[in-house]
Amino acid sequence: MPGDIELDTLRLLTALVEAGSLTAAARMRGISQPAASARIREFEARWQLAVVRRSPRGATLTTDGHAVVAWAREVLQSVDSMRSALEAVSQKRSANLQIAASLTLAEHLVPRWLGELHALRPSTRPVLQVVNSESVADAVRSGAAEIGFVESMSLPAGLASRTVGRDHLVIVVARSHPWARRTAPLDETELLAARWVLREPGSGTRSTFEAALGHEPQVALEATSTTALLGAAVAGVGPAVVSALSTRTELESRSLVSVPHSLDLRRPLTGVWRADQRLSEPARDLLAIAMQ
């Protein structure tokens, strides 16, 4: 088999017609005249064709050379069209960055990261899905999101990951709750006897609390909204477990009180993406910003 057709040689031959000489064609293609001659001779040897007629007056195309150039123009037009299409798709993918983030991250950290990304890449248009940590992992695995951010103790299986920060949960109650005046940490009996205001199963907050408690808690209310959880806790529905990032206002205003306890409620904040796919430049920049 003669082998693949060299597109650079086809471009050189078409340049020869346009420029009128091999020296000028070589200059158009950014190579030396000897290199251009060598490239054409290699093409002729490979395909057993004489495509250029050499004479003291210069190089011109043979009949076969004119046929090759006619075919080359069609091929090169298709290649250039394909390149333009690929560049357009690539630019569109780069411009639209699909992100999934769990609630605490999406409410308190991701907006700042996106602001820094916008300053760095103003043409990038982020699309943010706000779901729980389990759904973030599903979105990244399916390709619905290129990169995700979760707040779960357990890392999603099958995904590459990088720790971007730390967070901790707090147990908060209304000022009227009996625990509001506690100075000693809650013991296991009290923790297990309580009926809790919690996020839904699959959330990083819920999984972190359950892992630290070592038992399935009794639930008074489940909600997918941190605002709803805090409101229920203020109303006295029960003690709530939320991120320290989410309850600063309520603690400062004393509408909620943080209760001492012996649980380890620290957790990592983690960026995740598909291990079999290279992150786009905007996604890599966003990850770097999150890690700062």
Side-chain angles (χ1 to χ4, degrees):
M1 293 291 291
D4 291 334
I5 297 173
E6 291 289 340
L7 295 180
D8 286 343
T9 303
L10 299 185
R11 294 190 188 280
L12 177 62
L13 291 171
T14 58
L16 175 57
V17 175
E18 296 168 6
S21 74
L22 187 57
T23 300
R27 190 181 303 115
M28 286 177 61
R29 299 305 304 157
I31 60 176
S32 66
Q33 193 274 340
S37 295
R39 185 172 291 175
I40 290 173
R41 284 196 296 269
E42 181 182 351
F43 181 88
E44 291 176 321
R46 176 179 295 179
W47 296 99
Q48 299 293 298
L49 292 173
V51 295
V52 172
R53 182 183 299 106
R54 298 159 182 86
S55 71
R57 291 182 296 176
T60 57
L61 291 179
T62 64
T63 301
D64 286 342
H66 281 290
V68 169
V69 167
W71 299 328
R73 284 182 172 140
E74 293 183 14
V75 170
L76 294 174
Q77 183 178 2
S78 296
V79 169
D80 291 340
S81 296
M82 182 177 180
R83 178 180 288 110
S84 297
L86 289 172
E87 288 175 351
V89 171
S90 177
Q91 289 171 2
K92 183 177 180 181
R93 294 275 172 84
S94 297
N96 291 281
L97 175 59
Q98 300 289 335
I99 307 160
S102 53
L103 185 60
T104 300
L105 282 154
E107 289 183 338
H108 300 282
L109 296 176
V110 175
R112 174 172 59 81
W113 299 345
L114 294 180
E116 294 184 33
L117 181 66
H118 176 73
L120 183 65
R121 292 182 174 273
S123 63
T124 296
R125 296 186 297 277
V127 179
L128 176 62
Q129 304 175 47
V130 182
V131 290
N132 64 36
S133 292
E134 188 174 293
S135 297
V136 169
D138 291 340
V140 174
R141 289 193 193 96
S142 69
E146 181 180 3
I147 188 168
F149 296 96
V150 298
E151 56 212 26
S152 175
M153 289 293 295
S154 57
L155 293 177
L159 297 179
S161 64
R162 188 72 57 85
T163 300
V164 300
R166 301 283 175 180
D167 182 31
H168 69 277
L169 304 179
V170 291
I171 296 174
V172 293
V173 296
R175 287 183 299 176
S176 59
H177 194 282
W179 289 357
R181 293 174 293 279
R182 290 283 302 229
T183 56
L186 295 167
D187 60 33
E188 183 178 0
T189 301
E190 292 170 302
L191 290 167
L192 292 176
R195 299 184 71 245
W196 296 88
V197 174
L198 297 174
R199 287 285 307 280
E200 78 285 1
S203 73
T205 298
R206 177 74 169 263
S207 63
T208 299
F209 177 59
E210 290 182 344
L213 187 62
H215 298 273
E216 186 173 339
Q218 299 185 69
V219 179
L221 173 72
E222 284 183 359
T224 59
S225 162
T226 302
T227 301
L229 291 183
L230 295 174
V234 169
V237 175
V241 179
V242 292
S243 167
L245 294 170
S246 304
T247 190
R248 288 175 180 170
T249 301
E250 288 76 13
L251 292 177
E252 289 173 359
S253 67
R254 298 288 296 172
S255 59
L256 288 174
V257 178
S258 180
V259 183
H261 58 83
S262 58
L263 300 178
D264 182 2
L265 295 179
R266 296 171 297 176
R267 61 182 179 175
L269 306 177
T270 309
V272 296
W273 63 96
R274 285 179 56 166
D276 61 343
Q277 291 186 356
R278 179 179 174 83
L279 286 175
S280 65
E281 290 185 5
R284 291 201 299 272
D285 286 341
L286 179 60
L287 182 63
I289 289 168
M291 293 175 62
Q292 291 175 357

